[in-house]
Amino acid sequence: MRELSEPVHPSRVAAERAALLVRLCLDLDRRGAPPAARLAALDQARAAVATVPPGRIRDRLATVCDILTDLHRDDTAEAVRAAIVRARAALGQPAAG
């Protein structure tokens, strides 16, 4: 018997990869990673988002990248907390307690 598998959709793969990289950026920011590591991850995330076909998912991921870029301009504790909340909301994730 042959196994049936779901067809691979390049746009879905691109969106999932971009989402994982954006989530990595969120985690790095939350954990207070060094700025160079956060910026490198953000650059990779932006490049991955650019491969996602235009639409709601790409828009949400791009919004999160924009929020994180703003965060790098103001990295006070208050700004970090606000950015994480805004970014999670853009991804449709519940706020972390």
Side-chain angles (χ1 to χ4, degrees):
M1 255 175 106
R2 290 180 9 180
E3 285 188 39
L4 297 178
S5 62
E6 280 189 42
V8 175
H9 298 284
S11 61
R12 185 181 301 163
V13 172
E16 288 175 3
R17 179 176 181 273
L20 287 172
L21 287 168
V22 169
R23 286 186 183 120
L24 172 65
C25 292
L26 290 170
D27 287 341
L28 289 173
D29 279 335
R30 184 175 48 86
R31 295 172 192 245
R38 294 181 349 211
L39 289 172
L42 186 54
D43 287 344
Q44 289 183 11
R46 280 196 180 281
V49 169
T51 68
V52 177
R56 186 185 71 203
I57 293 172
R58 181 178 178 162
D59 292 347
R60 284 182 176 181
L61 294 172
T63 297
V64 174
C65 288
D66 292 343
I67 290 168
L68 292 172
T69 299
D70 292 344
L71 175 64
H72 291 290
R73 293 185 191 121
D74 177 9
D75 64 354
T76 61
E78 184 176 314
V80 169
R81 284 191 296 273
I84 290 170
V85 169
R86 287 174 53 208
R88 287 189 182 279
L91 284 176
Q93 296 179 342

